[in-house]
Amino acid sequence: MDYHSPASFAEASALAANATGITRFLAGGTDVLVQLRSELVTPDTLIDIKKIEGVSDITKNADGSWTIGVAATGAEMSEHPELGGDWPGVVEAMDLIGSTQVQGRATLTGNLCNGSPAADSVPAMAAAGVTVTVTGPEGTREVAVEEIPTGPGKTSLSKGELVSAVHIPARGEDGGDAYLRFIPRTEMDIAVVGVGVNLRLDGDTVTEARVSLGAVAPTVLLVEDCAKAIIGSTLDDAALDALAAAASAACNPIDDKRGTIAFRTEVAGVLAKRAAKIAYARAKGEQA
Amino acid sequence: MSKFHVSTTVNGDSVEYLCDPRETLLDCLRDKLNLTGAKEGCGTGDCGACSVSVDGRLVCSCLMLGVEADGKQIETVEGIADGDVLHPLQQKFIEHAALQCGICTPGILVAAKSLLEKNPNPTEEETRYWLAGNLCRCTGYDKIIRAVMETAEELREAS
Ligand SMILES: Cc1cc2nc3c(=O)[nH]c(=O)nc-3n(C[C@H](O)[C@H](O)[C@H](O)COP(=O)(O)OP(=O)(O)OC[C@H]3O[C@@H](n4cnc5c(N)ncnc54)[C@H](O)[C@@H]3O)c2cc1C
Ligand code: FES
Ligand code: FES
């Protein structure tokens, strides 16, 4: 295994473009090292991106949007004085990942690019409308988070491409987001279902919504029928029931020891309702 | 296979070692620096027996490469006592019999110290969540939690 620690994304991209065999980028390493140790994946080339300047920065831009460096950790996101006020759902989803020790290293970008269908931060990011900058041999492009994973362990990034920044939109007025997952334990487990909801209100009426499901299909799902079910409503019981039905209908899960297909499908609806209520309360400026 | 030359600081001392890029920080601490306090329970980030702090941040040394330690400040359980004088956490662990086989203890001491540095007045729930990544097969956790809570109280009174 060759180890490199380039000083720029262009250099990282060139190293990856010219590498043969298996290449991995090293952010927090909480997936890469586990796969290396269990001999699932031994990269031929490992490219550590943490020596690139600014990769741990969390920046609020002049327009209210956020740029999160690709090495900023879950702990740094949770400790940030303002980020969690704007995007509590995204921060909570990241904070659900692993233990205190894992939080000290794990990143949003690693969670996304590892390609696990159960990755916790990914539905929250998809709901929030997060995009990433991808740097490759041909230059850079902006890609929506939900376009990155293409199946378990697979992404749409081509050879030589890597994520160089994460962008969260400006929160804006009267908006709120939330993420909930179901796990059989209270800590340290993999999502059986995860649901991210992000919405905006005009008075009591939902005017914009994005609803995303994790762990119920080979990739994260951004479910338009869920958004339609609540847009125009005041999140009354009929809208919540329609939301739950749309969430369950979108599921295409697997059966495993953590949950059956029937259970995952049912729980997706239940969690969608609960997450929507929390996001709604947050949009109203209430504690939730 | 080319080896990497790493210069780092462990418990305040400058140290250097040569490592293969596949070796973890845990391997390097134990096998090159003879600091065998950090233990390998699982090697996959689940048990916390390998906990150390890196630039003030609690991490699993089994999930970090030895090469990544270059230029960092590492703290391990060996640095917790002041010479022969035990740290209050260590003292309380003995008083409460918060250990049996002791495999988890170095990791739990490092993790608990890191908690008290960030939050001198944690609730029991905060303490339990903070230590959720430190598994213990022997004690049932209760004695560990009591020892940490009592140390926190004494340190607050002392300061
Ligand atoms: C004990 C434990 C508990 C865990 N619990 C959870 C959990 O509850 N929920 C959850 O979702 N995950 C969990 N995980 C998995 C893991 O912690 C997360 O997926 C984490 O966010 C990965 O981030 P990282 O920075 O450590 O990624 P790394 O391991 O550094 O990288 C992961 C993948 O992303 C790629 N990558 C990294 N950076 C880039 C980049 N800039 N551009 C392109 N590709 C890149 C790498 O090549 C690799 O394939 C857990 C892991 C452990 C060890
Ligand atoms: S040995 Fe590192 S967490 Fe178990
Ligand atoms: S004392 Fe034996 S594992 Fe904790």
Side-chain angles (χ1 to χ4, degrees), chain A residues 1-4 26-30 33-34 36-38 42 46 48 50-51 73 75-76 79 99-105 186-188, chain B residues 1 4 21-22 24 27 40 43-46 48 51 57-60 62-65 67-68 70 107 111 118 129-134:
Chain A
M1 185 175 88
D2 285 332
Y3 170 86
H4 303 274
L26 182 63
T30 59
L33 273 274
V34 171
L36 179 75
R37 297 295 283 185
S38 52
T42 306
L46 186 63
D48 187 345
K50 292 188 295 296
K51 297 266 167 73
T73 61
E76 286 161 346
E79 285 165 12
S99 55
T100 314
Q101 287 85 339
V102 170
Q103 283 292 312
R105 300 262 296 165
T186 51
E187 257 288 83
M188 299 287 286
Chain B
M1 185 74 59
F4 283 78
R22 283 170 304 187
T24 62
D27 297 332
E40 179 164 293
T44 50
D46 293 292
S51 298
R57 190 66 82 184
L58 185 68
V59 305
C60 293
C62 74
L63 289 189
M64 178 168 162
L65 295 174
V67 285
E68 292 182 80
D70 196 58
K118 286 214 184 328
Y129 268 105
W130 183 272
L131 295 176
N134 289 88

Side-chain angles (χ1 to χ4, degrees), chain B:
Chain B
M1 185 74 59
S2 64
K3 295 238 178 192
F4 283 78
H5 179 237
V6 174
S7 308
T8 181
T9 307
V10 181
N11 301 325
D13 297 332
S14 300
V15 297
E16 297 185 24
Y17 54 81
L18 286 175
C19 72
D20 178 288
R22 283 170 304 187
E23 286 175 299
T24 62
L25 174 60
L26 178 63
D27 297 332
C28 296
L29 289 170
R30 292 181 59 86
D31 301 342
K32 297 179 195 298
L33 303 175
N34 293 324
L35 294 170
T36 54
K39 305 281 184 260
E40 179 164 293
C42 64
T44 50
D46 293 292
C47 76
C50 63
S51 298
V52 302
S53 104
V54 177
D55 287 349
R57 190 66 82 184
L58 185 68
V59 305
C60 293
S61 60
C62 74
L63 289 189
M64 178 168 162
L65 295 174
V67 285
E68 292 182 80
D70 196 58
K72 305 276 185 203
Q73 302 276 341
I74 317 280
E75 283 175 60
T76 72
V77 71
E78 285 87 350
I80 289 188
D82 182 6
D84 288 340
V85 183
L86 294 182
H87 186 277
L89 269 171
Q90 293 170 309
Q91 199 59 52
K92 279 282 171 245
F93 267 60
I94 295 169
E95 282 169 28
H96 281 263
L99 64 152
Q100 289 177 30
C101 79
I103 287 284
C104 67
T105 314
I108 294 188
L109 287 170
V110 171
K113 181 164 176 273
S114 146
L115 167 66
L116 299 186
E117 279 162 7
K118 286 214 184 328
N119 181 358
N121 192 6
T123 63
E124 178 173 331
E125 192 182 359
E126 284 167 343
T127 306
R128 286 185 185 271
Y129 268 105
W130 183 272
L131 295 176
N134 289 88
L135 304 186
C136 174
R137 294 291 283 126
C138 302
T139 63
Y141 300 102
D142 223 55
K143 295 168 172 180
I144 294 172
I145 301 299
R146 309 266 149 261
V148 176
M149 297 301 289
E150 225 173 84
T151 312
E153 201 181 319
E154 282 190 13
L155 288 176
R156 285 199 305 278
E157 280 165 9
S159 67

